[in-house]
């Protein structure tokens, strides 16, 4: 009996994670590539923030509409379909170098990527609740590890011509191939049950805030950090490495999250990671030099990229398996709201003395205060037996 159950469990986890890693390599390269190649296509660099917000607006729309796709075609084919749509949105960009076309392409790409996130997250959140943190750590490690490798493409492959697009297409097609041809088991799509508005309102508020702030910060980092580094006089060759350090910090923190969750409440954990981000940004202002900047970006990556996995795990705590797809949609929707607004607000900070770092400092400091207060209230209710 045991021998028949173990292999499917391994296959169920490995196939989506491998495909996600390949997607992440392509996505990491593309997200940093877009702001840098605007001038190569005679597009105004001022639209970088709008392109980022358009993408996250699509993410927001997708977060509300993916559940029927999962129910109809299942997890594996839904994942492959979303990647196929993403390939098409990228293909039109070098063919039609026009602002409106790129904005629409990024909007549709956001819808497709929302499908990727909801499908993989809900796929991995099914199963033993005690192992969810580990499976989410594996998910985040694949996502951020692939993104880190993708960032290196800026220096290794460049930002001009068709070669970057060829590299991105190759990784995405390989990911689709893994999903379609590798053997895998997937949860029953019929298990998905919608949450009512009343049930959604009862989801952990700190988890929702954590997802919103994750979007506010990550949307700005992906959309504007390359421009922020250019404004600081960083060369293209070093820019890719510094962006990779952010993602490496994100990877490094993933094994720590399930370990720290055993000793600290998840709300308090989000507060501490926000304080780590505040300290990292303070370091960039206090110490000059590319090495200090690199160390700060590594710590910043640890802090910011820890928020989403902690928040979504908190939201799904003690939640019935049938509600997981809908719960992940709600969390992704919250993340997307922040991601749409974040780049537009952060764009106003780029002209200031502290640039994007000033925006991130304000977001993380305010969040740390909120989470500390929420953690104290939660502990007080637990002691009172509520």
């Amino acid at each position: 009996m045991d021998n028949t159950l173990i292999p499917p469990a391994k296959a169920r986890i490995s196939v989506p994670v491998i495909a996600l890693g390949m997607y992440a390599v392509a996505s990491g390269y593309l997200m940093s590539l877009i702001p840098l190649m605007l001038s190569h296509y005679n597009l105004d660099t001022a639209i970088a923030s709008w392109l980022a917000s358009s993408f996250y607006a699509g993410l927001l729309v997708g977060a509300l509409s993916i559940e029927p796709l999962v129910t109809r075609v299942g997890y594996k084919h839904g994942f492959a379909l979303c990647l196929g749509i993403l390939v098409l949105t990228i293909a039109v960009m070098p063919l039609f170098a026009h602002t409106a076309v790129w904005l629409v392409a990024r909007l549709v790409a956001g819808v497709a990527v929302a499908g990727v996130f909801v499908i993989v997250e809900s796929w991995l959140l099914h199963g033993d609740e005690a192992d969810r943190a580990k499976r989410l750590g594996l998910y985040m490690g694949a996502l951020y590890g692939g993104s880190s490798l993708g960032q290196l493409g800026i220096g290794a492959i460049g930002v001009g011509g068709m070669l970057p697009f060829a590299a991105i297409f190759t990784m995405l097609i390989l990911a689709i191939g893994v999903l379609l041809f590798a053997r895998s088991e997937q949860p029953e799509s019929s298990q998905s049950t919608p949450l009512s508005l009343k049930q959604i309102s009862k989801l952990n508020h700190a988890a929702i805030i954590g997802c919103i702030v994750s979007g506010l910060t990550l949307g700005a980092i992906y959309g504007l950090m390359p421009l922020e580094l250019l404004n600081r006089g960083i060369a293209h060759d070093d820019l890719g490495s510094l962006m990779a350090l952010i993602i490496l910090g994100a990877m490094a923190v993933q094994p720590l999250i399930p370990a720290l969750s055993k000793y600290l409440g998840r709300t308090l954990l989000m507060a501490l990671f926000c304080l780590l981000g505040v300290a990292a940004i303070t370091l960039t202002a206090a110490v000059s030099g590319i090495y200090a900047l690199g160390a700060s970006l590594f710590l910043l990556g640890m802090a910011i990229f820890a928020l989403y996995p902690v928040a979504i795990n908190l939201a799904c705590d003690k939640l019935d398996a049938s509600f997981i797809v809908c719960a992940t949609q709600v969390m992704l929707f919250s993340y997307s709201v922040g991601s749409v607004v974040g780049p537009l607000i952060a764009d106003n900070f780029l002209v200031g003395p502290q640039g994007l770092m000033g925006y991130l400092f304000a977001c993380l400091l305010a969040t740390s205060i909120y989470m500390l207060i929420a953690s104290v209230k939660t502990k007080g209710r637990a002691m009172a037996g509520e």
Side-chain angles (χ1 to χ4, degrees):
M1 185 72 173
D2 291 339
N3 290 335
T4 61
L5 289 176
I6 293 175
K10 289 182 178 179
R12 189 183 75 178
I13 294 173
S14 62
V15 168
V17 169
I18 291 170
L20 179 75
M22 292 177 175
Y23 153 78
V25 173
S27 177
Y29 184 19
L30 180 66
M31 293 295 276
S32 291
L33 180 68
I34 287 175
L36 300 176
M37 69 179 180
L38 291 173
S39 59
H40 291 274
Y41 288 93
N42 297 318
L43 296 173
D44 189 352
T45 56
I47 71 168
S49 59
W50 287 100
L51 288 172
S53 289
S54 180
F55 173 80
Y56 289 112
L59 205 66
L60 190 152
V61 173
L64 297 173
S65 56
I66 293 302
E67 186 181 359
L69 175 67
V70 176
T71 303
R72 176 166 297 195
V73 304
Y75 289 80
K76 182 171 69 171
H77 291 102
F79 192 172
L81 178 60
C82 290
L83 290 180
I85 294 172
L86 180 60
V87 169
L88 293 177
T89 65
I90 298 170
V92 303
M93 296 176 73
L95 298 177
F96 303 97
H98 189 277
T99 299
V101 174
W102 282 39
L103 287 171
V104 172
R106 295 309 290 159
L107 179 71
V108 177
V111 175
V113 171
V116 170
F117 289 160
V118 169
I119 289 169
V120 179
E121 287 168 11
S122 55
W123 193 338
L124 297 181
L125 281 167
H126 276 87
D128 186 7
E129 188 171 328
D131 292 331
R132 281 179 180 173
K134 292 181 181 179
R135 293 197 298 272
L136 277 176
L138 183 63
Y139 159 70
M140 293 296 174
L143 182 62
Y144 300 151
S147 296
S148 178
L149 290 175
Q151 304 292 340
L152 299 177
I154 296 173
I157 300 175
V159 298
M162 295 301 297
L163 187 58
F165 290 99
I168 291 168
F169 290 155
T170 300
M171 294 307 301
L172 292 176
I173 291 170
L174 286 174
I176 294 172
V178 168
L179 288 167
L180 295 181
F181 299 112
R183 294 186 60 186
S184 65
E185 298 290 332
Q186 57 185 332
E188 293 291 335
S189 57
S190 59
Q191 290 181 0
S192 176
T193 304
L195 287 170
S196 67
L197 289 176
K198 184 177 180 181
Q199 289 171 316
I200 290 173
S201 68
K202 291 182 179 180
L203 291 174
N204 190 286
H205 292 174
I208 293 174
I209 294 295
C211 289
I212 292 174
V213 174
S214 179
L216 285 169
T217 51
L218 288 181
I221 283 178
Y222 278 130
L224 298 175
M225 184 60 81
L227 293 179
E228 167 72 12
L229 295 176
L230 284 177
N231 291 341
R232 290 173 175 254
I234 303 298
H236 276 185
D237 291 343
D238 293 327
L239 190 149
S241 299
L242 288 174
M243 289 296 296
L245 280 173
I246 299 176
I247 310 300
L248 287 173
M251 285 183 63
V253 79
Q254 298 311 313
L256 296 178
I257 294 173
L260 292 174
S261 296
K262 295 178 181 179
Y263 305 102
L264 299 172
R266 295 184 182 94
T267 308
L268 177 60
L269 199 55
M270 285 191 282
L272 295 178
F273 278 123
C274 287
L275 288 175
L276 175 63
V278 169
I281 295 169
T282 302
L283 180 62
T284 64
V287 183
S288 60
I290 192 169
Y291 294 109
L293 180 60
S296 300
L297 292 177
F298 180 84
L299 293 175
L300 187 62
M302 291 182 67
I304 292 179
F305 282 84
L307 293 178
Y308 189 75
V310 175
I312 195 172
N313 201 6
L314 178 60
C316 293
D317 191 29
K318 297 180 176 62
L319 196 65
D320 187 88
S322 63
F323 296 121
I324 286 177
V325 172
C326 192
T328 54
Q329 282 188 292
V330 173
M331 293 301 108
L332 184 60
F333 177 82
S334 302
Y335 170 86
S336 303
V337 169
S339 301
V340 171
V341 177
L344 298 178
I345 299 175
D347 193 42
N348 297 321
F349 282 76
L350 285 179
V351 297
Q354 295 302 322
L356 182 62
M357 294 299 185
Y359 166 79
L360 296 174
F361 182 91
C363 286
L364 293 174
L365 182 60
T367 306
S368 66
I369 294 172
Y370 170 85
M371 293 297 176
L372 286 171
I373 295 172
S375 177
V376 171
K377 287 184 176 180
T378 301
K379 185 176 180 181
R381 286 196 297 268
M383 291 178 67
E386 296 181 18

